[in-house]
């Protein structure tokens, strides 16, 4: 029997290089943790000849996945190739060959997590994916081990570094969305095609994975309602600031009476909320448990080495399980049927900004409408704007159902005194409330 | 074989009551997690007749520890009785009777952790103590599982809720130390004898435990240098604010070239530091790892139910290990000889405030002294004070060894132009530096 662990690495991009580097630089720590050496035996790449920054030493590079997946000596396959179909096939093949799998692939896990987990279970293999959510933050273990005895009620995440960077720059430096995005791209915090980040899809994938673990139910990616930040304006950020808020792209997951709501949307947070201080490209996940109350996990959401630490924490967990002979046992069973809340069951506070004709009695028409719908206001801010004899009004409601708020919006737009509803956002007030 | 897990609970105070409540209220979750019921069979109390707020149902109350420790049916002993000697004896007896032990006792683990861990190992038993540090925050698992593949360099903790509450009130409401302490006592955030909290001893115990796990070395409680907050003045907080700092009681642990420094002291944090936003009674541990970079774990540091969630996360871990037959294997072996840094090897920035005689050339005497010691200044703030023709000067140094800074202090006090050195504190600047 060989006295070391052999790893097959699928992909040698940003995360893959980090994994190679970490295994090399922290070999001593690894040996101490798991009692034997850990070696990367083979790496699947697209181009064997390509020049690379990292030293890969004796490691075998190949373009043929079978050289890893059919190699009986390889114990653990790390999938950091990205994408869906190819990665899925490789992982299934690895599990069927009784290899444990560690992946950082949020797209894949968001779409096929339960299916792949089932496949792992059938083969007595581990399938871990800590790195798929929030890079270096050990949030999946935090939920499934640390807060295991609690009943998690609410989970709010800043789980996309690109959008957090953009919103921070808009808020602190007054940059427009376009300029901030450009800056993020120049610094490598945003892709040249930023759609998946700025429109919230990336965050939605992570929220689906988090919600499954937190609420023990099979959340689908389609269950996550998404809106992105591309329409957020500096004006709204400034008004929010005046009212004591800061805007973040928040992934929100809430379970109440076994009914579920998961969405991603730009949200005004009270400045006293722990997530409000999370800036630039950093990520954080705020967890509200029935017993524990408020906790938050903060750290880098991406990057080569941070993400590689998450991958390697999974690898160490796999190896410890191998030593103990208990792989494939940490499957998290869904407990609940997935039941989504209706708009009438979803409550929140809302900020909205509108332009009102500057006529006598105009504002009272607004208050009458909201009175009739039984929606009360927490904050009001009115400023005259010079052009066109309009007044700009910002209102923050008290808690109201989404259904009722949407009805109010519709009726507002029909009022003759309302020139335009410029924008509206969800508000997350003081965390304690 | 019985199809449930029997727990013996030592102590029915704040945390003990939380444990009973959590096991009752979250029984369904527990069954789902561990596949069987979890029952508290017996509880050791001081007075069986005492009226209690919580319902204990069929559970047997006793004043005789042997009724738990010698009961062959009891699988897991939870120690939440506090104190040292009695708790230690009970835990040793439990381990020798092959019972797994979960404890929330930081005093005991700080003093006797390695010895008790050894005893657990000899008996193939688990000994877990997640609740001993930072209540509901799963920081010990975060370090030993989540960041397992990284090399942790620095750990900074706000690990005492009482002092954080007091400092927050002094900072935000301008209360004096005495008034803020009184308020904390009235709200139950401080004991009637607050010494162990305000003088930093409680934080020191937690830092010893954290440093052992983070750095794989047997840190003793005596290795932790401690100074508390009872001399902190509102004046210093206000000057700090002007310079962009907020004061926190920081537990600081740093490993460099396998040399170690652990201390607890009031510290000025840059407002941009993630720990600066941690307010009131909340705790947080900031971890800086070579690969992962900056992470932070935030949550309630005390309280009945939050602490009970940490206890129960350990209980679930024990039961899972029982099911898999792998108890007593998660012992963390020390890797390094404990070598403490000398004052010449300990670097930091310092804030100091002094009263200077208002004479021509007085300030240049100060700068000459610091020049000679090769200490440069990052910030200077000078304000005349009316009485006695004195000037008040605040200086923040660049990075300097503790040895050299202490020599500067000594020489400062000898200068004829220096009336008095009022105060000095360590400064932790921008986290990125």
């Amino acid at each position: 029997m060989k006295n070391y662990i052999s790893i097959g690495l699928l992909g040698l991009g940003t995360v893959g290089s980090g994994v190679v580097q970490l295994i090399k630089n922290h070999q001593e720590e690894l040996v101490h943790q798991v009692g034997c050496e850990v070696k990367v035996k083979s790496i699947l790449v697209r181009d064997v000849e390509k020049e690379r920054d990292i030293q890969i030493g004796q490691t075998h590079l190949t373009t043929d996945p079978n050289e890893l997946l059919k190699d009986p000596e390889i114990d653990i396959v790390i999938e950091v190739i990205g994408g869906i179909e190819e990665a899925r096939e490789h992982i299934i093949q690895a599990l069927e060959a009784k290899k444990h799998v560690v992946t950082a692939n949020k797209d894949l896990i968001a779409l096929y997590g339960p299916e792949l987990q089932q496949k792992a279970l059938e083969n007595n293999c581990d399938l871990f994916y800590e790195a798929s959510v929030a890079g270096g933050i050990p949030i999946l273990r935090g939920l499934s081990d640390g807060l295991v005895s609690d009943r998690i009620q609410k989970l709010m995440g800043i789980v996309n570094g690109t959008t957090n960077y953009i919103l921070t720059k808009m808020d602190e430096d007054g940059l427009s969305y376009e300029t901030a995005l450009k800056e993020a791209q120049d610094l490598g915090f945003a892709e040249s095609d930023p759609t998946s980040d700025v429109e919230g899809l990336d965050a939605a994938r992570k929220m689906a994975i988090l919600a499954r673990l937190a609420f023990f139910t099979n959340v689908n990616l389609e269950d996550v309602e998404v809106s992105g930040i591309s329409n957020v304006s500096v004006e709204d950020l400034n008004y929010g600031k005046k009212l004591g808020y800061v805007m973040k792209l928040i992934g929100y997951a809430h379970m109440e009476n076994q009914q579920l709501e998961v969405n991603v949307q730009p949200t005004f947070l009270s400045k006293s909320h722990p997530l409000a201080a999370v800036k630039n490209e950093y990520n954080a996940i705020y967890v509200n448990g029935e017993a524990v109350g408020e906790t938050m996990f903060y750290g880098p959401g991406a990057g080569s080495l941070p993400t590689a630490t998450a991958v390697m924490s999974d690898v160490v967990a796999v190896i410890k399980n191998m030593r103990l002979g208990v792989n494939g046992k940490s499957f998290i069973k869904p407990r609940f049927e997935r039941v989504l809340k209706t708009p009438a069951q979803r409550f929140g506070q809302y900020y909205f900004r509108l332009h009102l004709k500057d006529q006598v009695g105009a504002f009272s028409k607004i208050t009458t409408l909201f009175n009739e719908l039984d929606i009360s206001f927490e904050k009001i801010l009115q400023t005259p704007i010079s052009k066109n004899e309009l007044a700009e009004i910002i209102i923050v409601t008290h808690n109201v159902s989404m259904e009722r708020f949407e009805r109010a919006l519709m009726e507002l737009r029909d009022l003759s005194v309302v020139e335009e509803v410029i924008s509206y956002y969800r508000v997350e007030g003081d965390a304690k409330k």
Side-chain angles (χ1 to χ4, degrees), chain A:
Chain A
M1 194 183 137
K2 71 188 186 352
N3 60 346
Y4 58 90
I5 298 290
S6 278
I7 293 199
L9 182 61
L10 303 174
L12 192 55
T14 310
V15 180
S17 309
V19 168
V20 171
Q21 210 179 319
L22 208 57
I23 289 179
K24 190 170 154 235
N25 295 351
H26 291 191
Q27 187 64 232
E28 239 183 279
E29 280 78 5
L30 283 168
V31 171
H32 180 77
Q33 284 293 334
V34 300
C36 67
E37 273 186 88
V38 179
K39 293 181 187 172
V40 180
K41 187 180 179 195
S42 311
I43 307 178
L44 178 71
V45 294
R46 297 207 190 283
D47 176 5
V48 173
E49 303 302 325
K50 185 180 164 189
E51 294 233 355
R52 298 174 199 279
D53 289 340
I54 61 160
Q55 295 234 325
I56 54 138
Q58 301 296 308
T59 308
H60 175 61
L61 295 189
T62 173
T63 56
D64 176 8
N66 286 324
E67 288 195 27
L68 284 80
L69 301 172
K70 293 196 169 158
D71 180 345
E73 211 197 63
I74 285 179
D75 307 289
I76 303 172
V77 168
I78 299 177
E79 185 276 305
V80 286
I81 212 167
I84 306 282
E85 273 316 315
E86 194 189 339
R88 178 164 167 251
E89 278 166 32
H90 293 343
I91 288 180
I92 289 174
Q93 204 185 329
L95 291 171
E96 285 175 346
K98 312 289 179 201
K99 298 181 192 312
H100 310 292
V101 173
V102 171
T103 174
N105 193 328
K106 59 184 169 295
D107 307 25
L108 182 66
I109 296 295
L111 279 175
Y112 295 110
E115 173 200 316
L116 293 172
Q117 198 97 62
Q118 186 58 37
K119 178 65 76 179
L121 191 65
E122 286 164 12
N123 289 284
N124 291 315
C125 284
D126 286 335
L127 168 68
F128 293 149
Y129 45 89
E130 179 66 71
S132 67
V133 179
I137 309 175
I139 180 62
L140 302 191
R141 288 220 160 65
L143 287 175
S144 59
D145 296 339
L147 302 175
V148 58
S149 68
D150 202 358
R151 198 175 289 148
I152 292 169
Q153 299 172 312
K154 189 162 80 170
L155 200 142
M156 288 169 62
I158 296 175
V159 289
N160 179 273
T162 308
T163 48
N164 203 38
Y165 183 86
I166 293 172
L167 289 172
T168 303
K169 290 298 151 185
M170 289 174 71
D171 184 57
E172 296 193 342
D173 304 343
L175 302 188
S176 70
Y177 167 77
E178 289 74 17
T179 314
L181 169 59
K182 176 75 173 45
E183 194 181 302
Q185 285 171 325
D186 291 346
L187 289 167
F189 293 143
E191 312 269 344
S192 54
D193 175 2
T195 316
S196 146
D197 290 317
V198 300
E199 296 306 342
L201 305 174
D202 175 82
R205 291 177 188 130
K206 295 163 182 166
M207 291 309 297
I209 298 172
L210 285 171
R212 278 178 205 152
L213 284 178
F215 304 135
F216 297 96
T217 179
N218 273 336
V219 180
N220 299 324
L221 186 52
E222 311 88 80
D223 299 334
V224 186
E225 277 180 33
V226 184
S227 74
I229 65 160
S230 54
N231 292 320
V232 171
S233 71
V234 173
E235 287 73 43
D236 279 314
L237 294 198
N238 286 340
Y239 282 123
K241 212 178 278 183
K242 281 187 190 158
L243 295 165
Y245 302 125
V246 57
M247 184 167 284
K248 299 287 176 189
L249 182 67
I250 294 293
Y252 181 89
H254 192 211
M255 176 80 126
E256 208 173 22
N257 307 320
Q258 298 180 19
Q259 289 176 316
L260 185 76
E261 159 184 14
V262 190
N263 59 63
V264 172
Q265 59 186 304
T267 303
F268 274 124
L269 295 180
S270 160
K271 288 212 168 112
S272 65
H273 197 288
L275 287 172
V278 177
K279 292 183 181 174
N280 296 315
E281 76 278 18
Y282 277 88
N283 283 16
I285 294 102
Y286 167 91
V287 183
N288 203 311
E290 192 181 283
V292 78
E294 300 182 87
T295 62
M296 186 175 80
F297 301 75
Y298 169 98
S304 173
L305 285 173
T307 309
T309 62
V311 168
M312 289 309 295
S313 77
D314 280 346
V315 169
V316 170
V318 169
I319 299 174
K320 284 185 176 172
N321 284 347
M322 287 170 69
R323 299 262 140 194
L324 299 169
V326 296
N327 298 98
K329 309 279 190 214
S330 53
F331 183 62
I332 296 185
K333 295 179 289 277
R335 283 182 66 201
F336 301 110
E337 279 296 309
R338 176 188 127 274
V339 182
L340 300 179
K341 288 198 227 173
T342 66
Q345 292 168 322
R346 294 168 54 175
F347 284 81
Q349 286 186 270
Y350 290 90
Y351 157 110
F352 62 95
R353 172 158 73 106
L354 49 82
H355 284 174
L356 203 60
K357 289 174 188 154
D358 210 355
Q359 299 169 352
V360 177
F363 189 67
S364 92
K365 290 220 168 68
I366 307 284
T367 55
T368 306
L369 187 161
F370 277 79
N371 263 342
E372 282 169 10
L373 287 169
D374 203 20
I375 301 175
S376 56
F377 299 160
E378 184 177 292
K379 291 174 182 172
I380 298 170
L381 192 70
Q382 172 161 3
T383 45
I385 48 177
S386 49
K387 55 173 183 181
N388 306 329
E389 302 206 331
L390 294 175
E392 188 154 57
I393 306 215
I394 288 102
I395 291 174
V396 178
T397 71
H398 279 297
N399 233 15
V400 55
S401 77
M402 188 177 146
E403 181 190 40
R404 193 169 301 195
F405 178 72
E406 285 183 344
R407 188 162 145 214
L409 268 187
M410 209 174 61
E411 294 192 15
L412 259 187
R413 288 184 173 121
D414 286 344
L415 281 186
S416 64
V417 296
V418 172
E419 179 76 16
E420 193 186 352
V421 178
I422 308 285
S423 58
Y424 60 95
Y425 294 106
R426 227 176 67 84
V427 170
E428 188 72 22
D430 204 352
K432 299 267 177 157
K433 281 180 193 164

